[in-house]
Amino acid sequence: MGKLLIVGSIAFDEIETPFGKTGKILGGAATFIGLAAGQFRVDAGVVSVVGDDLPEEYLNLLKERDIDVTGVEVIQGGKTFYWKGKYHNDLNSRDTLVTELNTLGDFDPVVPEDFKDADVVMLGNLHPNIQLSVIRQMKVRPKLTVLDTMNFWMDNTWDELMEVIKLIDVITINDEEARQLTGEHSLVKAAAKIQNMGPKYVVIKKGEHGALLFHKEYIFFAPALPLEEVFDPTGAGDTFAGGFAGYLAQTKNISFESLKNAIVQGSNLASFCVERFGTERMLDLEKHEVDLRLAQFKELTQFNIELT
Amino acid sequence: MGKLLIVGSIAFDEIETPFGKTGKILGGAATFIGLAAGQFRVDAGVVSVVGDDLPEEYLNLLKERDIDVTGVEVIQGGKTFYWKGKYHNDLNSRDTLVTELNTLGDFDPVVPEDFKDADVVMLGNLHPNIQLSVIRQMKVRPKLTVLDTMNFWMDNTWDELMEVIKLIDVITINDEEARQLTGEHSLVKAAAKIQNMGPKYVVIKKGEHGALLFHKEYIFFAPALPLEEVFDPTGAGDTFAGGFAGYLAQTKNISFESLKNAIVQGSNLASFCVERFGTERMLDLEKHEVDLRLAQFKELTQFNIELT
């Protein structure tokens, strides 16, 4: 059983999709990553910051899944990060209606002593300087450091992002971000350029079109499981990342074959996340459901052609 | 070795992509289907119509690959179907600049006696009444009839299209066409509705995002091989269909497992087609290259997770 350090936001999300709308519900990258990683046998801990307006029961949801939250700083009198968004009809795009950084704006992460020797570090989407601070606090170089980021940081904090990208092993970004980061339309060319920036592995998330893993001349692809209905895509990317990192922390095997399996595990868990609003589906997800869908995932992708 | 009947256009194509432009070159659904099917051990014949402006060497390219062209009617004084198109920068969309149906406008297909007992019939994209005429000329019900069609026939010949769809076993259409045909955004729901219209198997082509095969509750997915550069997408869908039908005609095995393999073979061949203008790459493609890329295709998609 490996140790997994998760860094990311814990948030109030307010979501509108064609199927309905929520009030303020639990969200945030660290939340989704934690809930996904909680499906594996890992010793996981979260570093984050919230205000004292976050209901205690929200943190308890992580605690109940044996996720250490001593690294979650609660700012007295502070407000928790709040995001409100509305998805378009095809659910492939969304408008951000409100972003209030609140306590996340001054987030100065402190890694608990117990997690300074984590096997895997999962850096959720945050200001690159926060991600950098966490990397620098580690006492032992992790077996694998995974970084998630987004176009916002490419637009606004390019130099800082380049600094952190140099130091990590795996980057997870979407296809448009990979193109923005490199100026290459071809994802094969983009992934090669990104590897030259530092990361040995590049994971390109294509949403409903699956995910690609690149490493040297090797490429692996996992589709998203075709669903009757995507209800709410919020958190799917973080759930993917949490499944990916959680599986690798459990196995402590950082071979390409193992990373392929991690991509499949991440895709599999993300297929549940989108079935209901926010964290709802991940909170009642049971092991036998995960295993059943993993079997479906194999049926979806595995074939048997004899090569002559 | 099975018998494969191919029905479709033989055309002059004139293509512009960001990488350059061609003059009038060989194109057409039957051409691409034939060249792809020619990679398999099949007894293939083409039914089509051309004018006497088509250089004899073009038909010889098919003949040299043991594809029977006695079903290709040459109209003396007639002109061959001509299509001119320009691709946008991302190569995912294109504008049709010229369409001259010419002899194709009065195409009255005549299936050669030798092919009225074909094991597999591949109906390339044409007016549904032409497709229907071919089905009615068959003496023996084929093991498998595959139909390709497009949004144009949904817009203009809905009733005729519904008539032919009732009679075929496999339909291949793209994602937007599947949505148009059913009014369902979810491809899972769309595929279920299409199966209720007649076809036992539904193949949804998503271009660079791969292809899905649906049959009852079973789903199989094959990605497009990630390429450094897509040079010209013209003919990729037909090459896919030709590989699919060619493989099935070779094996004469119409199980779901065999159809999965056929999807992989089609995807594999399509990955070559897009590497150069028109039929260029398919014309110099050799077996060892196909096999090598099939091995890459396995690496790209196959994993080994133990289910517990």
Side-chain angles (χ1 to χ4, degrees), chain A residues 186 188-189 206 209 219-221 223 227-229 260-261 287 298 300-305 308, chain B residues 186 188-189 206 209 219-221 223 226-229 260-261 287 298 300-305 308:
Chain A
S186 156
V188 175
K189 287 185 180 173
K206 302 198 296 173
H209 298 304
I219 314 180
F220 177 68
F221 174 82
L227 296 172
E228 288 228 347
E229 208 72 83
K260 281 163 65 166
N261 289 350
K287 173 107 175 47
K298 285 186 103 163
L300 176 71
T301 55
Q302 304 301 286
F303 57 88
N304 188 18
I305 290 184
T308 52
Chain B
S186 156
V188 176
K189 287 184 179 173
K206 302 198 297 172
H209 299 304
I219 314 180
F220 177 68
F221 173 82
L227 296 171
E228 287 228 348
E229 207 72 83
K260 281 163 65 166
N261 288 351
K287 173 108 175 47
K298 285 186 102 163
L300 176 70
T301 56
Q302 304 302 286
F303 57 88
N304 189 18
I305 289 184
T308 51

Side-chain angles (χ1 to χ4, degrees), chain A residues 159-291:
Chain A
D159 292 344
E160 295 89 333
L161 183 60
M162 287 301 118
E163 197 61 37
V164 70
I165 280 184
K166 268 185 215 160
L167 302 175
I168 52 103
D169 304 297
V170 186
I171 185 171
T172 72
I173 46 178
N174 73 30
D175 40 2
E176 283 319 308
E177 289 156 355
R179 288 173 175 135
Q180 181 175 348
L181 197 55
T182 60
E184 291 286 352
H185 180 77
S186 156
L187 297 180
V188 175
K189 287 185 180 173
K193 273 201 180 174
I194 296 170
Q195 288 179 67
N196 286 333
M197 296 175 183
K200 288 189 288 293
Y201 303 93
V202 177
V203 176
I204 299 184
K205 300 175 287 183
K206 302 198 296 173
E208 62 167 330
H209 298 304
L212 286 156
L213 167 67
F214 294 88
H215 173 56
K216 296 179 183 166
E217 73 272 30
Y218 304 106
I219 314 180
F220 177 68
F221 174 82
L225 202 82
L227 296 172
E228 288 228 347
E229 208 72 83
V230 170
F231 189 81
D232 170 21
T234 310
D238 294 316
T239 300
F240 170 85
F244 178 81
Y247 175 80
L248 291 171
Q250 175 181 291
T251 62
K252 297 203 265 184
N253 175 350
I254 311 297
S255 66
F256 189 69
E257 284 305 309
S258 181
L259 264 77
K260 281 163 65 166
N261 289 350
I263 294 277
V264 171
Q265 298 278 5
S267 300
N268 193 47
L269 290 175
S271 78
F272 289 102
C273 176
V274 302
E275 288 184 338
R276 289 197 229 143
F277 273 129
T279 59
E280 246 182 87
R281 186 67 179 98
M282 295 309 291
L283 285 172
D284 75 3
L285 185 58
E286 298 192 10
K287 173 107 175 47
H288 70 93
E289 296 176 300
V290 176
D291 289 347

Side-chain angles (χ1 to χ4, degrees), chain B residues 141-158:
Chain B
R141 189 185 162 86
K143 280 184 198 297
L144 202 74
T145 304
V146 185
L147 176 109
D148 190 37
T149 189
M150 68 184 295
N151 53 358
F152 181 83
W153 310 114
M154 298 174 197
D155 292 334
N156 296 292
T157 60
W158 179 268

Side-chain angles (χ1 to χ4, degrees), chain B residues 9 45 277:
Chain B
S9 59
F277 273 129

Side-chain angles (χ1 to χ4, degrees), chain A residues 120-167:
Chain A
V120 176
V121 176
M122 177 69 233
L123 300 167
N125 173 40
L126 283 169
H127 193 298
N129 283 346
I130 300 175
Q131 296 173 319
L132 203 58
S133 161
V134 169
I135 292 173
R136 292 199 172 128
Q137 290 175 57
M138 300 305 288
K139 273 193 193 156
V140 186
R141 190 185 161 86
K143 280 184 198 294
L144 203 74
T145 304
V146 185
L147 175 110
D148 189 37
T149 188
M150 69 184 295
N151 52 358
F152 182 82
W153 310 115
M154 298 175 197
D155 292 335
N156 296 293
T157 60
W158 179 267
D159 292 344
E160 295 89 333
L161 183 60
M162 287 301 118
E163 197 61 37
V164 70
I165 280 184
K166 268 185 215 160
L167 302 175

